[in-house]
Amino acid sequence: MAASEENSALFPIFILTIMAIPLVPYTLVKLSRAASKKSKCLHCQCTECLQSGKYRKSIFKRISNFSTWSNLTLVLLWVIMIVLVYYIKNMSGEIQVFEPFNILGLEPGASDSEIKKAYRRLSIQYHPDKNPDPEAHKYFVEFISKAYQALTDPVSRENFEKYGHPDGKQGFQMGIALPQFLLDIDGASGGILLLWIVGVCILLPLVIAVIYLSRSSKYTGNYVMHHTLSNYYHLMKPSLAPSKVMEVFIKAAEYMEIPVRRTDDEPLQKLFLLVRSELNLDLKNIKQEQAKFWKQHPTFVKTELLIQAQLTRESAALSPALAGDFKRVLELAPRLLEELMKMALMPRSPHGFGWLRPAVGVIELSQCIIQAVPLSSRKTSGGSSEGSAPFLQLPHFSDAVIKKIARKKVRTFQEFRDMPREDRAEILGQVAGFSASAVDDIERVLEMMPALSMDITCETEGEESIQEGDIVTIQVWVTLSRVNGLVGALPHAPHYPFPKEENYWLLLADQTSNNVWFSQKLSFMDEAAAVSVASKAIEDMMEGSGADMKEKVKTVRETIEKVRSGSRLVLGKFLAPAEGNYNLTCYCLSDTWIGCDTRNNLKLKVLKRTRAGTRAGATIDEGPVPEDGIEEEEEIEEEEYDYESEYSEDEAEEPDAKKGGGVANGTVSKGSSSEGSDDEED
C-alpha cells in the first residue's frame, strides 16, 4: 500500500516532466523569434492608411494579435506547469522520509540514554494512554515506536545504518506513476481507468482523424473548396476577357455559403443603383439587362454587388448585415483570386501551356479590389494605356484632379512618378490644389511603390542552339527597389480592410498564341527563404560547371548579398515547341499595385531537331554577332503597357517585331523592358 501511495505521489512529477520536455524549448524558440522581429514599419504611413485602423496598435488589437490558438495554448500549459510545481512543493513537505533520529528529535550518533529520554518524553505526549487523539496514536505506533526500536535493537540499528531501513535490505520495486484511484482496479475506479485508456488511446485519435478527413475532403491545401476549383476549371476559357473575369470569380463555393436574407433586398437595390454603371449592362436594352441581372442566383447577385461596392468605394452605404458579408467577401478574395490565377495558368495544350489573356484579367481584378479602383478606369485614356486607375490608387486623388494634372501634359502615371519631387509638389499644390499634408501623403505612397526590373537568361548545357523538344531552362533575377529603401512591405490599400502582402507573378508568354510557357508566384517578404533557394541553386550550378571551392564560395556570397539587396531568383524549365521563330514577353505582374508591372521582350528561335535526346535549356546571347548567323536584336522602342491592346493589336505589332534582328540557332536575345505605364509614340 505504501509503495502504491509513493507511486501515486510521483504522478504529478511524471506529468510535469513530460510537459516540460517540449514546452521549454518551444517557448524559448518563440521568444527568440519575437525578439528578432524587425522593428521597421512595413506598412504605408499615409494618413488614409493610418485612419483605416487595420494597423492601429490599440490594447484590443494587441490582445487580439496575441490571442491566437498557439499563444493561448502556450500560456495555458505554463499555468498548468506552475500549478504542478506548487502542488509538488507542498506534497514534498507532506511526505516524510523515515529518519529515526529526526523523529525522536536527536542528533545522529546519540547515546542510548539520550534515546531513552527522548522516547519517554514523546511517550508522555503521544502515547494513547496520555493522548486520546487517533492521529497521536497513529503517529506513536508508526513513527515513534518504530524509531525507538530501530535505534535500541542492535539488529535493527545495524540494518538502518547499513541499508537505511530497520528491516534490512529492501527488494527492487517497480510501480506506475498514476493516481491511486486509477490503480484501484477492484472498485469503480477500474472502469474509470478503462474509460481513460479507451478515450485517450482510441477515441481521441479517431475524432481528430475524422475532423481532419472531413475538412481535407472539402478544402484544398490553400483552404479553398474543391467545388470552387471545379467551377473555376470549367468556366475558365482561353479568350476570357478581363471584363468577364468577374463573372467567373463570383462562382466560388465559399460565396455560396454567405446567407441571402430577405432584409437585404432593399439595401441591395440601392447599391445596384450606385454601381449600375460598372456592371457592363447594355444601355440600349437597359430594362432587359437589369431583369437578366436580377434573374441570376441571389448569391451571385449579392457577391457581385458587394465587390462592386469595394471597387466604387460605396461600402459606407451598406447596412450592418451587409457590411459583415462585405468583409467576408473581401477576406476570401485574395486566396480565391490566387486559385483562379492558377486555373488560368494550368497547362491545357499538348505543349503544357497556360492562357495569358485570362491570367492578365485575374491580375487586373486583384489590383482593382485591393486598391478599390473601378475596372472601367483602366480603359485607355489621355495617352495612358492603363487609364486613370494608377492615379486613383493615390490618396486624395479623383477624376477631377486627374483632369487638372492632364492639362500640364502629364500623360502617364510613369511620367508622374519620374518627375522631380519639387516639380511634382508644385503641380499637386498649385494645379490640383492639395494642401501640404496631402502632398506629403502622396509622396509617402510614391516612395512605397515598387520599381521592378528583370535580368533573364536562357541556357542549354553544352549546346549553342535550341531544337524542338529540348528542355529549356530559364533563369530570371527580379529586382525590386523603393525610394524608402524597403524590400518587403505591405502595400498602400486604405480601402481594403485587411493587411495584404505583396505578391508578384512571373509569366513567360507568347502574346500571338495567347500561351503562357512558364509561370511562378514570387514574394519579397521572406528573405531567409529566398537566400536559401538562391544560394542552393547557384551552388548546384557551380558544381555542375566544375568550379573550384573558392570560386563557388565567392559566387554564393555574392548571390546572398544580391538577395538581401532586393533581388529574387526564379528558375524554371519548359519544353521547346515546334520549329519556328517566337516573339516572347516576360511579365512581372503585381497583384496589389496598379502601374508597377514590368515586362521584357525576348526572341526565341527553335530549330528542327537534328540530334538525339533532349537538352536542358538555352543560352542568351548579348555579345557580338557570331559567324554562325546569330544577330543581336535591335533595341525595341519603349511602348505603353496595354493589356487589352496586346490581344487586339497583335497584327499591328508583328511587322514591327520582325524588323528587329533575327535570332538563329535557338539563341535568345533580351529585349527592352517597360515598367508600369511606359511612354508611347504620339
Side-chain angles (χ1 to χ4, degrees):
M1 189 69 177
S4 62
E5 291 179 356
E6 184 178 354
N7 293 329
S8 178
L10 294 176
F11 178 71
I13 301 177
F14 170 74
I15 295 297
L16 179 64
T17 305
I18 295 300
M19 291 179 59
I21 289 175
L23 187 60
V24 172
Y26 177 76
T27 305
L28 294 177
V29 170
K30 202 168 181 80
L31 291 176
S32 63
R33 287 179 180 176
S36 61
K37 282 186 178 179
K38 296 181 179 179
S39 59
K40 185 182 292 185
C41 185
L42 298 180
H43 63 80
C44 180
Q45 296 293 309
C46 73
T47 304
E48 289 187 356
C49 284
L50 296 178
Q51 290 178 350
S52 67
K54 57 183 175 181
Y55 304 119
R56 191 170 299 155
K57 297 293 185 179
S58 64
I59 183 64
F60 300 104
K61 196 75 172 180
R62 294 176 186 272
I63 294 175
S64 177
N65 292 337
F66 177 79
S67 301
T68 60
W69 283 110
S70 61
N71 290 340
L72 293 178
T73 303
L74 190 66
V75 171
L76 179 62
L77 291 176
W78 274 106
V79 170
I80 295 175
M81 282 190 61
I82 293 173
V83 172
L84 286 175
V85 170
Y86 179 77
Y87 176 76
I88 292 170
K89 181 181 178 181
N90 292 340
M91 181 186 66
S92 63
E94 296 174 0
I95 299 176
Q96 299 181 9
V97 181
F98 184 75
E99 290 287 348
F101 291 106
N102 291 337
I103 294 173
L104 297 177
L106 300 173
E107 294 292 333
S111 62
D112 293 341
S113 60
E114 292 176 340
I115 294 173
K116 292 179 180 180
K117 289 181 181 179
Y119 175 72
R120 284 194 292 268
R121 175 173 51 81
L122 293 174
S123 298
I124 296 173
Q125 184 177 356
Y126 292 101
H127 195 277
D129 295 339
K130 305 292 184 180
N131 191 341
D133 189 1
E135 292 295 330
H137 173 66
K138 181 179 178 181
Y139 182 73
F140 179 80
V141 173
E142 294 182 1
F143 289 93
I144 298 176
S145 297
K146 195 172 182 180
Y148 178 73
Q149 181 183 2
L151 296 180
T152 54
D153 184 66
V155 177
S156 299
R157 182 163 185 171
E158 182 181 359
N159 289 335
F160 172 74
E161 293 176 352
K162 184 179 294 187
Y163 303 109
H165 198 280
D167 296 332
K169 186 176 182 179
Q170 301 297 300
F172 180 72
Q173 294 182 353
M174 295 183 64
I176 303 175
L178 290 176
Q180 180 62 33
F181 72 91
L182 291 179
L183 298 175
D184 187 11
I185 304 179
D186 298 334
S189 59
I192 298 177
L193 177 60
L194 179 62
L195 291 176
W196 185 82
I197 294 175
V198 171
V200 174
C201 300
I202 299 177
L203 294 181
L204 182 60
L206 185 61
V207 170
I208 295 175
V210 169
I211 294 175
Y212 173 77
L213 292 176
S214 62
R215 184 173 181 83
S216 61
S217 63
K218 188 177 181 181
Y219 290 91
T220 66
N222 198 24
Y223 298 103
V224 175
M225 292 185 179
H226 290 288
H227 187 50
T228 298
L229 299 186
S230 178
N231 291 343
Y232 285 171
Y233 178 82
H234 291 97
L235 294 173
M236 184 61 62
K237 304 297 179 184
S239 59
L240 189 67
S243 59
K244 300 296 183 181
V245 172
M246 176 78 77
E247 298 178 6
V248 178
F249 172 63
I250 62 175
K251 300 299 191 300
E254 285 82 353
Y255 291 151
M256 295 289 292
E257 294 185 344
I258 297 178
V260 178
R261 298 171 288 268
R262 292 184 179 180
T263 55
D264 295 338
D265 292 342
E266 185 178 350
L268 288 177
Q269 290 282 354
K270 294 180 180 179
L271 181 60
F272 173 80
L273 297 177
L274 295 174
V275 303
R276 182 171 52 184
S277 60
E278 297 293 328
L279 295 176
N280 295 321
L281 303 179
D282 187 2
L283 298 180
K284 295 181 181 179
N285 303 311
I286 187 64
K287 291 185 178 179
Q288 293 84 348
E289 289 289 315
Q290 291 184 10
K292 182 180 178 181
F293 177 81
W294 287 104
K295 285 182 180 179
Q296 298 181 95
H297 193 284
T299 303
F300 298 156
V301 172
K302 181 177 182 178
T303 303
E304 185 169 359
L305 290 177
L306 292 178
I307 294 175
Q308 291 294 349
Q310 167 70 4
L311 299 180
T312 56
R313 303 181 184 180
E314 297 288 351
S315 58
L318 299 177
S319 63
L322 281 180
D325 298 337
F326 172 75
K327 288 188 175 182
R328 179 59 179 166
V329 168
L330 295 184
E331 183 182 13
L332 294 171
R335 60 173 176 261
L336 293 178
L337 286 167
E338 181 178 343
E339 295 302 320
L340 186 59
M341 184 71 172
K342 293 178 181 178
M343 288 297 140
L345 299 174
M346 178 179 291
R348 307 201 187 208
S349 66
H351 288 282
F353 296 150
W355 296 327
L356 177 62
R357 186 175 178 86
V360 170
V362 174
I363 289 294
E364 288 185 353
L365 179 59
S366 176
Q367 293 174 351
C368 289
I369 289 177
I370 299 302
Q371 296 297 339
V373 172
L375 288 169
S376 61
S377 65
R378 303 189 72 107
K379 295 180 180 179
T380 303
S381 63
S384 174
S385 63
E386 292 186 333
S388 59
F391 289 97
L392 292 177
Q393 69 185 331
L394 298 177
H396 314 295
F397 262 73
S398 63
D399 291 330
V401 172
I402 297 173
K403 292 179 181 179
K404 292 180 181 179
I405 292 178
R407 297 170 188 167
K408 291 297 181 179
K409 298 183 178 180
V410 180
R411 299 182 303 170
T412 65
F413 184 69
Q414 191 62 40
E415 288 182 0
F416 182 73
R417 288 185 65 184
D418 294 338
M419 292 177 63
R421 180 164 182 165
E422 295 77 11
D423 297 344
R424 190 164 54 236
E426 182 179 354
I427 291 178
L428 293 175
Q430 298 181 2
V431 178
F434 286 139
S435 62
S437 60
V439 173
D440 289 340
D441 285 343
I442 296 171
E443 291 296 336
R444 289 192 186 97
V445 175
L446 292 174
E447 291 176 357
M448 284 288 293
M449 296 187 74
L452 299 169
S453 61
M454 293 186 292
D455 183 13
I456 309 168
T457 305
C458 295
E459 297 179 343
T460 54
E461 295 180 359
E463 298 295 341
E464 296 181 354
S465 63
I466 300 177
Q467 297 184 5
E468 54 186 4
D470 282 356
I471 299 176
V472 185
T473 301
I474 179 173
Q475 174 181 307
V476 185
W477 277 103
V478 183
T479 303
L480 180 146
S481 60
R482 307 179 202 265
V483 177
N484 60 11
L486 293 175
V487 176
L490 301 178
H492 164 79
H495 301 283
Y496 187 75
F498 305 98
K500 170 71 172 67
E501 292 186 0
E502 297 176 351
N503 291 307
Y504 300 85
W505 285 91
L506 187 75
L507 310 178
L508 180 65
D510 183 359
Q511 296 183 27
T512 305
S513 62
N514 192 35
N515 288 332
V516 177
W517 293 24
F518 170 75
S519 63
Q520 185 167 323
K521 184 181 174 184
L522 185 63
S523 176
F524 287 83
M525 296 299 292
D526 194 348
E527 182 182 283
V531 168
S532 176
V533 171
S535 59
K536 181 66 168 61
I538 296 300
E539 186 177 355
D540 293 342
M541 292 174 58
M542 296 295 292
E543 288 181 356
S545 63
D548 57 11
M549 181 60 67
K550 184 176 181 181
E551 183 179 359
K552 184 168 62 175
V553 171
K554 180 181 178 182
T555 306
V556 170
R557 287 180 179 176
E558 292 175 353
T559 301
I560 293 175
E561 290 300 323
K562 192 172 183 179
V563 172
R564 289 176 176 172
S565 63
S567 297
R568 297 293 183 268
L569 177 63
V570 178
L571 288 173
K573 298 180 184 292
F574 61 90
L575 187 67
E579 176 188 6
N581 296 326
Y582 298 90
N583 296 320
L584 304 179
T585 306
C586 188
Y587 301 90
C588 188
L589 308 177
S590 171
D591 69 345
T592 52
W593 293 100
I594 305 176
C596 296
D597 305 325
T598 186
R599 66 175 180 174
N600 282 16
N601 297 320
L602 306 175
K603 277 194 174 183
L604 178 68
K605 183 173 183 179
V606 180
L607 302 179
K608 187 176 181 180
R609 172 154 297 283
T610 60
R611 59 177 181 265
T614 58
R615 296 287 178 180
T619 56
I620 185 167
D621 187 9
E622 298 178 322
V625 180
E627 295 180 358
D628 58 1
I630 298 179
E631 298 180 3
E632 183 178 2
E633 182 183 0
E634 294 178 3
E635 183 177 356
I636 300 175
E637 288 187 6
E638 291 184 347
E639 58 186 3
E640 287 192 7
Y641 189 45
D642 187 355
Y643 291 125
E644 301 258 346
S645 65
E646 288 173 3
Y647 307 100
S648 60
E649 299 176 4
D650 283 339
E651 296 81 0
E653 294 177 357
E654 287 178 9
D656 295 337
K658 292 180 180 179
K659 294 180 182 179
V663 180
N665 296 337
T667 320
V668 182
S669 297
K670 184 171 67 174
S672 61
S673 66
S674 58
E675 299 178 8
S677 302
D678 296 330
D679 294 342
E680 187 180 52
E681 291 184 355
D682 295 330

